Amino acid sequence: MRNQSIKLSVDAVVFGYEEGNISVLLIKRKYKPFIGKWAIPGGFVWNEESLENAVERELYEETGLKINYLEQLYTFGKPDRDPRTRIVSVAYFGLVRPSIYKLYASTDAEQVQWFNIDSLPELSFDHYEILLTAIERLRGKITYEPIGFELLDKKFPFSDLEKLYTTLLGREIDRRNFRKKILNLNILDELEEKVSKGSGRPAKLFQFNKKKYFQLKKEGIIFEI
Amino acid sequence: MRNQSIKLSVDAVVFGYEEGNISVLLIKRKYKPFIGKWAIPGGFVWNEESLENAVERELYEETGLKINYLEQLYTFGKPDRDPRTRIVSVAYFGLVRPSIYKLYASTDAEQVQWFNIDSLPELSFDHYEILLTAIERLRGKITYEPIGFELLDKKFPFSDLEKLYTTLLGREIDRRNFRKKILNLNILDELEEKVSKGSGRPAKLFQFNKKKYFQLKKEGIIFEI
């Protein structure tokens, strides 16, 4: 083969969901290029580690966040995407609840911060394109795969799940239809407990039936919203 | 950064669909490792070319097949997936009608051949895993995205589209429901012409409304089958 001089990196798009807000985790770069600019956490793959280990390691090193499941998103490989040399990056994404994590900027990161996806700073490299791809994938995915387990309280009123979907989809949903579809999946256990929020009637609490939920998730089950 | 010694390659999983059969295009390797064994076409990325150009070039060089749209599938990066050195491969996939292509084995390929996916030979490297991932993606994709334009005759009876879906899904479908859903998408023009096949009644012919079809495909429209 010809002498190949391409480097391989990984990037982690981590979305945070909390009470109607979607944010993304960004770092401020400590080194050139794009010094002082915001970027998606990531870095070079070591020779002996898997891509998954590399992305978890980089995310942890730069942000203090330890996530044990990131899903592969897409590989970005335009020849001129990095001004240094050709770097092809395998991007991953995940969805977490920001409040349960403490952030620590380190290694290549001068600072680390959650940004609401509606008020993003200027991003380095092609990271805006990577982020848009991740948002699109997330919005597509939730229409045919159950999500929420990791993002809601253990016990929650149905309206919290509705709000999660409305926020992630970025549009209103047909509430009656949504309720019917979700309940038909049998992934929720309806509890006897109720919760009072504001001035409304007390609402029944639900919790995910872990076993059924993860089984359906694994099957990549289709349900149209 | 540490000295990285990872090489980058691309692989092309090309499925062929024809009258109820799904096949995949494989090459017999001319060189070590896995000399004389079957493999998915692919090879190393050149420094100056995009990943898309690399996969189209490799596919054409090894098989004579020129496809102008391959979709990125997944990047395979287990540290020991190649016995030579660490090679990370970005896999792509596409779906074509085999009969309209002529195959020519060349460069690293000693032979090139379509194999029915139900009777595959032993595959080199982790190519069986790549192929399974591609089959899974294909089956998932067709349940929420319209396909068929490139695979059916220009004018076709509705039963051909049904058969395409039954074959790709690997299971029976609810025919009435399927017809209703497809027609509701408004991607088919119903023609005045009819066709007679076997002893049945002459069947109306349909053709894809290119504009609407590609618009819906672009939107990644959701329809549940």
Side-chain angles (χ1 to χ4, degrees):
Chain A
M1 67 168 291
R2 300 175 177 207
N3 190 25
Q4 195 189 59
S5 61
I6 301 174
K7 297 293 171 205
L8 192 72
S9 70
V10 283
D11 285 306
V13 181
V14 180
F15 291 112
Y17 171 81
E18 214 149 38
E19 288 166 25
N21 285 302
I22 309 172
S23 48
V24 64
L25 189 65
L26 299 176
I27 60 142
K28 188 180 262 188
R29 291 177 56 83
K30 203 192 274 179
Y31 303 111
K32 286 184 187 174
F34 297 101
I35 185 167
K37 295 274 179 201
W38 294 94
I40 294 165
F44 293 105
V45 179
W46 292 349
N47 292 330
E48 320 75 20
E49 68 185 348
S50 68
L51 301 175
E52 292 74 24
N53 287 349
V55 72
E56 284 165 21
R57 177 184 52 73
E58 282 289 343
L59 180 65
Y60 181 66
E61 281 177 10
E62 293 188 353
T63 71
L65 212 72
K66 212 159 198 160
I67 300 185
N68 52 22
Y69 186 69
L70 289 162
E71 182 176 325
Q72 199 185 99
L73 171 68
Y74 198 80
T75 296
F76 294 83
K78 279 196 191 121
D80 59 356
R81 58 180 295 281
D82 195 298
R84 291 167 288 187
T85 180
R86 180 154 184 203
I87 298 175
V88 169
S89 188
V90 187
Y92 285 76
F93 83 110
L95 190 54
V96 302
R97 209 146 47 136
S99 59
I100 64 171
Y101 295 97
K102 277 191 183 156
L103 303 176
Y104 305 93
S106 177
T107 63
D108 301 348
E110 187 188 304
Q111 205 181 318
V112 53
Q113 198 178 306
W114 291 103
F115 283 87
N116 190 297
I117 59 165
D118 294 325
S119 56
L120 293 169
E122 199 189 326
L123 295 180
S124 313
F125 308 103
D126 57 353
H127 286 188
Y128 188 64
E129 187 190 341
I130 296 180
L131 183 54
L132 287 187
T133 307
I135 292 173
E136 198 181 323
R137 178 75 63 91
L138 180 67
R139 294 215 165 118
K141 224 178 154 58
I142 59 172
T143 59
Y144 59 88
E145 205 176 85
I147 59 161
F149 188 78
E150 302 85 348
L151 302 174
L152 297 176
D153 291 328
K154 205 181 155 198
K155 299 171 183 181
F156 54 87
F158 199 85
S159 58
D160 278 11
L161 190 63
E162 263 176 26
K163 191 167 191 180
L164 169 66
Y165 268 81
T166 310
T167 308
L168 293 180
L169 285 170
R171 60 169 169 85
E172 290 303 312
I173 53 177
D174 177 338
R175 292 173 61 196
R176 220 177 78 173
N177 211 7
F178 177 73
R179 191 180 178 97
K180 202 176 124 196
K181 277 178 179 169
I182 294 285
L183 295 181
N184 277 344
L185 291 175
N186 279 322
I187 50 174
L188 294 184
D189 291 337
E190 195 168 340
L191 306 175
E192 288 306 314
E193 295 170 65
K194 291 189 176 186
V195 68
S196 291
K197 267 191 178 178
S199 58
R201 278 186 307 168
K204 273 212 172 149
L205 289 176
F206 290 83
Q207 79 180 20
F208 281 102
N209 181 317
K210 259 195 186 183
K211 210 177 138 188
K212 285 185 191 160
Y213 174 80
F214 283 110
Q215 195 186 321
L216 274 194
K217 252 195 102 145
K218 211 176 136 194
E219 289 167 10
I221 202 66
I222 305 295
F223 67 104
E224 186 188 0
I225 291 184
Chain B
M1 67 167 292
R2 299 177 177 205
N3 191 23
Q4 194 189 61
S5 62
I6 300 174
K7 297 292 170 205
L8 192 73
S9 69
V10 283
D11 285 305
V13 181
V14 180
F15 292 112
Y17 171 81
E18 212 150 39
E19 288 165 24
N21 285 301
I22 310 172
S23 49
V24 63
L25 189 66
L26 299 176
I27 59 141
K28 188 180 262 186
R29 291 178 55 83
K30 204 191 272 179
Y31 304 111
K32 286 184 188 173
F34 297 100
I35 185 168
K37 295 273 179 201
W38 293 95
I40 294 165
F44 293 106
V45 179
W46 292 351
N47 291 331
E48 320 76 19
E49 69 185 347
S50 69
L51 301 175
E52 292 73 25
N53 286 349
V55 71
E56 285 165 20
R57 177 185 53 73
E58 281 290 341
L59 180 65
Y60 180 65
E61 281 178 10
E62 292 187 354
T63 71
L65 213 72
K66 212 161 199 161
I67 300 185
N68 53 22
Y69 186 67
L70 289 162
E71 183 175 323
Q72 200 185 99
L73 171 68
Y74 198 81
T75 297
F76 295 83
K78 278 194 193 126
D80 59 355
R81 58 180 296 281
D82 194 298
R84 289 167 288 186
T85 181
R86 180 153 184 204
I87 299 175
V88 170
S89 188
V90 187
Y92 285 76
F93 84 109
L95 190 55
V96 301
R97 210 148 42 138
S99 59
I100 64 169
Y101 295 97
K102 277 192 183 153
L103 304 176
Y104 305 92
S106 176
T107 62
D108 300 349
E110 187 189 307
Q111 207 180 318
V112 53
Q113 198 178 305
W114 291 101
F115 283 87
N116 191 296
I117 59 166
D118 294 325
S119 55
L120 294 168
E122 199 189 327
L123 294 180
S124 312
F125 308 102
D126 58 353
H127 286 188
Y128 188 64
E129 188 190 339
I130 295 179
L131 184 54
L132 287 187
T133 307
I135 292 173
E136 200 181 322
R137 178 76 62 91
L138 181 66
R139 293 214 166 120
K141 225 179 155 58
I142 59 172
T143 59
Y144 59 87
E145 205 177 83
I147 59 160
F149 188 77
E150 302 85 348
L151 301 173
L152 297 176
D153 292 327
K154 204 181 156 198
K155 300 171 182 180
F156 54 88
F158 199 85
S159 58
D160 278 10
L161 189 64
E162 264 175 25
K163 191 166 192 181
L164 169 66
Y165 268 81
T166 310
T167 308
L168 293 180
L169 285 170
R171 61 169 169 85
E172 290 303 311
I173 53 177
D174 176 338
R175 291 173 61 197
R176 219 176 79 172
N177 212 7
F178 176 74
R179 190 180 178 98
K180 201 175 125 197
K181 278 177 179 170
I182 294 286
L183 294 182
N184 275 345
L185 291 175
N186 278 323
I187 51 175
L188 294 185
D189 292 336
E190 196 168 340
L191 307 175
E192 288 307 312
E193 295 170 64
K194 292 188 175 185
V195 67
S196 291
K197 267 192 180 178
S199 58
R201 277 187 306 167
K204 272 211 173 151
L205 289 176
F206 290 83
Q207 82 180 19
F208 282 103
N209 181 317
K210 260 194 186 184
K211 209 176 140 186
K212 286 184 190 158
Y213 174 79
F214 284 110
Q215 196 187 323
L216 274 195
K217 252 195 102 146
K218 209 177 137 192
E219 289 168 9
I221 200 68
I222 306 294
F223 67 104
E224 186 188 0
I225 289 184

